[in-house]
Amino acid sequence: MRIVVTECDHDSFDAEREIVAAAGAELVVTQSFTPEALVANAAGADAVLVQYASITAEIMDALPSLRAIGRYGVGIDSVDVAAATARGIAVCNVPDYGTEAVSDHAIGMTLAAARGIPRLDRGMRAGSFDLAAIRPAYQTRGRVFGVVGMGLIGTATARKAAGLGYEVIGYDVAADPDAAEHRGFPSVGLDELLERAQVVSLHTPLDESTRGMIGAAQLARMRTDAILVNTSRGGVVDTAALVEALRTGSIRAAAIDVHETEPLPVDHPLMDLDSVVLTPHLAWYSEESYDELKRRTVANVVEVCAGRAPRNVVNPEVLGAPGRNQDCAPVGAAARTGA
């Protein structure tokens, strides 16, 4: 069994090596930044572990022994899942590893933006002690916190926001539109959430239905004292429209961990806006979540290549079906991603 890391910026692969060694397999760590390098470095691989690389149908065809693709993270928008399914290749992710870390980060960014903490810190370092720089600032109690995407992370964020005194409302495309509640919190439509919430926190995956879902029209619906928080995917927000809304004062502030272009260019307009709190796509990180991510990502593909159903698989229909994984045990419904 040969497992290849296509590219990854982690500082250690000890966790992966431990699991691979226990399975009697080989782990090869590469830094393949072009499709050509990826195909060359992954030749003969039974599985690849991917952080940022795009895994296309052409790459899959160039790797005929490939049986599993493991994604370091929740999102699988960089993998052509339809192409993988057509070829019988299992696509695995880790949908719930960062629930506590990401929700912690979303709350931290919310408070930083709401209280103007980064702005105050920069001011003090420059010798300014001016309260006017962050006025008006409000307490959390009595303010409305809107969660877009009430999955595991969104629900954890809602729970933590409620603990701070926010009135929490939620929107999710999977919620019954006639239901008063969803996962224990009041359920509303997206338009109502945007119009009511002083904090709009995004926790939705990126796909064609959510790409650009927060654009100029949605930002125009938001309150002028609202803060937009995004720890989901950069593509969920129209960045140009967000910059314009912040420049014109259509909304109060933004706290952004994920970006349409990563890393965010140093000359990007968001960098010049004092009303924005920025972090470099690190909401997922805690020591606990980092270790869990690494172990579960490699464990998923090891299981597939050993002919066993993995804990998480995006396209379970390929297991046991004609194709590259026809000898693999089928997965039960409870193990399906998102279940």
Side-chain angles (χ1 to χ4, degrees):
M1 188 191 305
R2 186 170 194 259
I3 300 172
V4 175
V5 177
T6 62
E7 36 67 63
C8 189
D9 58 14
H10 295 176
D11 55 5
S12 168
F13 294 90
D14 291 345
E16 291 93 330
R17 294 187 193 283
E18 178 185 330
I19 290 173
V20 168
E26 175 190 14
L27 181 72
V28 179
V29 178
T30 74
Q31 298 295 345
S32 307
F33 298 117
T34 67
E36 295 76 17
L38 192 158
V39 168
N41 291 331
D46 298 282
V48 293
L49 305 182
V50 181
Q51 187 176 28
Y52 301 118
S54 178
I55 307 299
T56 63
E58 291 75 18
I59 286 175
M60 296 176 208
D61 288 340
L63 300 172
S65 63
L66 189 65
R67 296 178 58 193
I69 300 166
R71 169 73 171 82
Y72 280 109
V74 179
I76 40 86
D77 44 284
S78 62
V79 178
D80 188 336
V81 177
T85 302
R87 290 157 178 77
I89 301 171
V91 179
C92 303
N93 66 345
V94 189
D96 54 352
Y97 81 98
T99 298
E100 293 303 318
V102 177
S103 56
D104 284 352
H105 200 84
I107 293 296
M109 294 190 82
T110 296
L111 294 178
R115 297 296 302 175
I117 292 171
R119 190 180 301 187
L120 289 172
D121 177 79
R122 290 191 294 268
M124 285 193 68
R125 293 172 191 273
S128 172
F129 306 93
D130 187 7
L131 174 63
I134 63 162
R135 296 186 70 181
Y138 302 94
Q139 63 188 21
T140 58
R141 187 163 299 278
R143 308 289 280 179
V144 177
F145 192 107
V147 177
V148 177
M150 293 292 289
L152 293 172
I153 295 173
T155 302
T157 304
R159 169 173 51 82
K160 293 171 184 180
L164 290 171
Y166 282 105
E167 175 190 349
V168 178
I169 57 177
Y171 163 76
D172 195 288
V173 293
D176 181 348
D178 297 322
E181 288 193 349
H182 183 62
R183 299 206 171 188
F185 293 92
S187 180
V188 299
L190 179 59
D191 287 348
E192 180 181 345
L193 184 147
L194 295 174
E195 291 165 2
R196 288 179 55 191
Q198 280 99 359
V199 179
V200 175
S201 190
L202 305 178
H203 301 279
T204 186
L206 179 63
D207 56 32
E208 289 313 305
S209 68
T210 62
R211 188 177 298 277
M213 73 179 297
I214 304 298
Q218 290 73 32
L219 290 162
R221 284 187 175 274
M222 291 173 61
R223 299 169 56 104
T224 56
D225 61 349
I227 299 167
L228 180 69
V229 181
N230 189 11
T231 55
S232 59
R233 281 291 184 269
V236 172
V237 177
D238 181 335
T239 306
L242 174 61
V243 169
E244 182 64 17
L246 290 164
R247 282 176 171 169
T248 61
S250 176
I251 66 172
R252 179 186 174 198
I256 309 295
D257 179 62
V258 289
H259 313 280
E260 289 188 273
T261 301
E262 295 181 344
L264 189 69
V266 294
D267 59 350
H268 194 280
L270 285 174
M271 296 286 199
D272 297 327
L273 295 171
D274 210 28
S275 58
V276 178
V277 178
L278 296 170
T279 55
H281 200 153
L282 288 177
W284 61 271
Y285 171 74
S286 68
E287 284 297 303
E288 298 89 345
S289 64
Y290 184 47
D291 184 69
E292 182 182 10
L293 170 67
K294 295 168 77 60
R295 291 180 180 276
R296 286 178 56 188
T297 299
V298 71
N300 278 333
V301 302
V302 165
E303 290 296 285
V304 172
C305 293
R308 299 184 293 266
R311 175 172 174 176
N312 298 107
V313 56
V314 176
N315 53 347
E317 62 270 29
V318 306
L319 304 182
R324 301 188 192 184
N325 281 298
Q326 61 185 1
D327 295 328
C328 188
V331 66
R336 298 187 183 195
T337 290

